[in-house]
């Protein structure tokens, strides 16, 4: 059995959970707070980051969400998430990088720093200017999703792909932290609400981080 070391608001762990669930791969959740730098976890992943995935029986450890997703894409045929022509696959990877890197740097990372890390670990006051800037950037990213969904049914093309999982994972964490204003983003909201009702997404939406509660619309599939 695979053991996924993660915490509920880690967007990279969420992407891996969505992929494992879509592909029908069983796993156990192991709660890991990477900032604690626990010895046992550091031995498993010297980079000290979540997600890390470990299979005791097979003695395999996988780290880094993209490496993990590619591993299962290469080894499990069900629900292909990086498929189509070489150009289609390049487009999927471009968008995965956009959400993993840019969306995280612009939106999810700053929100996690201000609203989770400062509150739970650093005990520092929130910087409201940084929060406003993260929300402004979220708006710009949602504009781009609106544009993509105006032109294609899913973010990277005709079928659901890893690009959709990467985007939905980041957006769900930003939404939990109150960083998303859905008004004026009908296309993005429609695309995201389809995700919210998928069986792979429901367990993520029902989890809560101690102390930090999401806004009321967060788990509402009709919102
Ligand atoms: N590129 C990595 C990023 C992983 C990452 O940044 N994880 C965060 C939590 S969401 C973390 O462990 N941060 C702790 C640290 O960087 O010390 C991936 O895709 O897995």
């Amino acid at each position: 059995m695979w053991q996924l070391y993660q915490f509920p608001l880690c967007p990279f762990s969420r992407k891996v959970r969505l992929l494992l669930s879509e592909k029908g791969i069983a796993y156990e959740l192991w709660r890991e707070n990477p900032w604690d730098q626990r010895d046992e976890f550091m031995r498993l992943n010297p980079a000290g980051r979540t997600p890390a995935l470990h299979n005791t029986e097979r003695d395999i450890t996988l780290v880094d969400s993209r490496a993990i997703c590619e591993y299962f894409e290469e080894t499990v045929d069900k629900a292909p998430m990086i498929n189509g022509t070489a150009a289609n696959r390049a487009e999927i990877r471009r968008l995965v990088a956009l959400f993993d890197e840019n969306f995280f740097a612009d939106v999810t990372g700053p929100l996690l720093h201000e609203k989770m890390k400062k509150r739970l670990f650093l005990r520092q006051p929130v910087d409201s200017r940084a929060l406003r800037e993260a929300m402004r950037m979220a708006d710009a990213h949602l504009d781009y999703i609106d544009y993509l969904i105006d032109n294609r049914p899913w973010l990277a093309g005709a079928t659901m792909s890893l690009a959709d999982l990467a985007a939905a994972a980041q957006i769900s964490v930003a939404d939990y932290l109150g960083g998303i204003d859905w008004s004026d983003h009908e296309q993005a909201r429609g695309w995201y609400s389809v995700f919210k009702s998928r069986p792979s997404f429901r367990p993520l939406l029902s989890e809560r981080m101690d102390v930090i509660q999401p806004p009321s619309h967060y788990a509402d599939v009709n919102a």
Side-chain angles (χ1 to χ4, degrees):
M1 170 77 96
W2 292 99
Q3 298 166 342
L4 180 66
Y5 290 74
Q6 57 92 51
F7 63 94
L9 293 183
C10 171
F12 304 103
S13 303
R14 285 186 170 213
K15 180 181 62 176
V16 167
R17 290 176 66 180
L18 290 172
L19 180 105
L20 293 175
S21 176
E22 292 288 342
K23 285 187 171 288
I25 298 158
Y27 63 95
E28 287 171 352
L29 286 178
W30 285 50
R31 176 69 178 262
E32 188 66 43
N33 181 359
W35 294 281
D36 290 346
Q37 304 212 319
R38 223 167 39 88
D39 289 346
E40 191 198 334
F41 183 61
M42 295 303 287
R43 276 195 294 278
L44 201 63
N45 176 13
R49 291 173 154 193
T50 55
L53 195 60
H54 182 62
N55 190 312
T56 320
E57 298 87 40
R58 291 160 60 188
D59 194 22
I60 301 176
T61 302
L62 307 172
V63 297
D64 187 274
S65 67
R66 270 195 254 181
I68 296 170
C69 290
E70 299 250 355
Y71 172 91
F72 288 104
E73 187 64 10
E74 287 171 12
T75 55
V76 178
D77 289 338
K78 187 182 170 193
M81 289 288 160
I82 310 175
N83 63 345
T85 63
N88 295 146
R89 299 196 302 276
E91 177 64 352
I92 292 166
R93 292 189 170 102
R94 175 184 80 84
L95 288 168
V96 171
L98 180 80
F99 287 101
D100 281 2
E101 293 166 21
N102 301 64
F103 194 100
F104 182 74
D106 295 339
V107 182
T108 328
L111 288 172
L112 281 168
H113 184 73
E114 294 298 328
K115 292 204 159 185
M116 185 193 77
K117 213 169 160 185
K118 278 188 171 176
R119 183 165 181 185
L120 298 183
F121 310 109
L122 303 173
R123 315 255 173 226
Q124 290 171 2
V126 166
D127 176 350
S128 51
R129 226 176 52 181
L131 281 183
R132 276 199 304 277
E133 179 59 11
M135 288 187 75
R136 194 184 68 78
M137 291 305 293
D139 206 52
H141 282 285
L142 288 186
D143 279 344
Y144 187 54
I145 293 179
D146 288 339
Y147 161 79
L148 290 174
I149 295 300
D150 262 343
N151 291 284
R152 343 164 139 168
W154 296 90
L155 292 185
T159 56
M160 187 173 77
S161 74
L162 191 59
D164 298 281
L165 308 190
Q170 294 288 337
I171 288 171
S172 67
V173 174
D175 199 31
Y176 187 110
L177 295 170
I180 302 282
D181 177 357
W182 289 102
S183 49
D184 299 327
H185 294 293
E186 274 315 303
Q187 296 90 332
R189 202 215 306 245
W191 161 83
Y192 186 61
S193 69
V194 171
F195 252 101
K196 274 173 131 178
S197 46
R198 284 188 87 78
S200 60
F201 215 103
R202 297 306 302 163
L204 270 61
L205 291 176
S206 63
E207 274 173 35
R208 296 290 175 268
M209 190 88 184
D210 322 328
V211 189
I212 307 165
Q213 293 303 314
S216 57
H217 70 255
Y218 169 71
D220 182 352
V221 287
N222 300 312

